[in-house]
Amino acid sequence: MSEGFEPQTFRVTRADLVRYAGASGDFNPIHWSERVATGVGLPGVIAHGMFTMALVGRAVTAWAGAGDTVKEFAVRFSRPVPVPDTDEGTEVVVTATVKEVTEDGDTRLALTATCNGDKVLSLAQALVGKR
């Protein structure tokens, strides 16, 4: 249909993962230990899926103008977000396309999140109330 919002880029570092672990209570070592992460077949330490989802939610909320206008928000995790042990970390880029404007004026967005060019979410979408 039409464009949703300009790409929004979020930098993710290992320090962000530590802060998120503390806030969420998810201290799974795949989010902080290279040895454990690679030992279970991951490319290295990965971001928490819910942290990645929160970044996408932040992009949607910024576009919507307020969090209470977001009526629905759903994603499926399709690929991990590897976070290297560098000061730069990695980047998650979020884009959206307007898929539908309902009779009530709500907007359905198809969302895309990528890391290093790879889609990390699938079937991601949001329904935003009339703005």
Side-chain angles (χ1 to χ4, degrees):
M1 263 188 96
S2 65
E3 290 189 33
F5 53 74
E6 291 293 317
Q8 294 187 43
T9 302
F10 299 94
R11 182 155 308 282
V12 180
T13 66
R14 295 269 178 104
D16 294 320
L17 302 185
V18 170
R19 285 189 285 276
Y20 185 81
S24 69
D26 182 352
F27 295 100
N28 187 321
I30 64 172
H31 302 302
W32 56 267
S33 170
E34 196 78 27
R35 178 181 50 81
V36 171
T38 57
V40 297
L42 293 168
V45 167
I46 62 169
H48 302 74
M50 294 304 288
F51 180 70
T52 304
M53 185 177 179
L55 296 176
V56 177
R58 187 190 308 173
V60 171
T61 301
W63 181 82
D68 62 354
T69 62
V70 180
K71 295 181 172 186
E72 296 175 12
F73 178 47
V75 306
R76 286 202 179 153
F77 305 107
S78 56
R79 294 189 94 135
V81 173
V83 181
D85 190 11
T86 63
D87 291 340
E88 296 79 25
T90 194
E91 291 181 339
V92 174
V93 179
V94 181
T95 59
T97 304
V98 173
K99 286 304 202 185
E100 171 189 23
V101 176
T102 69
E103 291 179 11
D104 296 333
D106 295 346
T107 303
R108 182 163 311 278
L109 297 172
L111 306 164
T112 303
T114 59
C115 180
N116 298 319
D118 293 325
K119 285 179 68 173
V120 296
L121 300 176
S122 62
L123 303 175
Q125 63 179 329
L127 182 66
V128 177
K130 189 174 182 179
R131 304 183 323 139

